[in-house]
Amino acid sequence: MQTTPDEDLATEATLAVAALKILATEAALAAAEGGFEISGTRAAGRTYDYDRHWRNARTHTLHDPVRWKYQHLGRYRLTGERPPRTGTL
């Protein structure tokens, strides 16, 4: 049984988590934005407070920006350059 992952396994795991974060971010924002499209302008009013769903999703995406995840995924797939080994990817 392997107790420490090798570099290739760690890279693949890191990139898989990054890809899932991208998917979750896009899904959360699309769902919140879809609610505005369906509900119209009333959804942004304080009466129903539906805008909090979009704000919550957006806040989470700003604290863990996916734009870097796209770059690291693309760079690895195109050139083989490994992403940095930090806790932020």
Side-chain angles (χ1 to χ4, degrees), residues 16-74:
V17 170
L20 288 173
K21 175 63 178 173
I22 290 170
L23 180 65
T25 295
E26 289 179 357
L29 290 174
E33 291 165 2
F36 284 131
E37 290 176 12
I38 292 170
S39 303
T41 57
R42 289 186 185 179
R46 282 292 189 208
T47 305
Y48 301 109
D49 205 25
Y50 290 141
D51 61 316
R52 74 182 184 278
H53 299 296
W54 180 85
R55 280 194 323 269
N56 289 343
R58 192 67 188 129
T59 298
H60 287 288
T61 64
L62 292 174
H63 288 290
D64 187 13
V66 298
R67 67 181 177 271
W68 297 111
K69 293 169 184 13
Y70 281 111
Q71 290 184 21
H72 290 299
L73 279 165

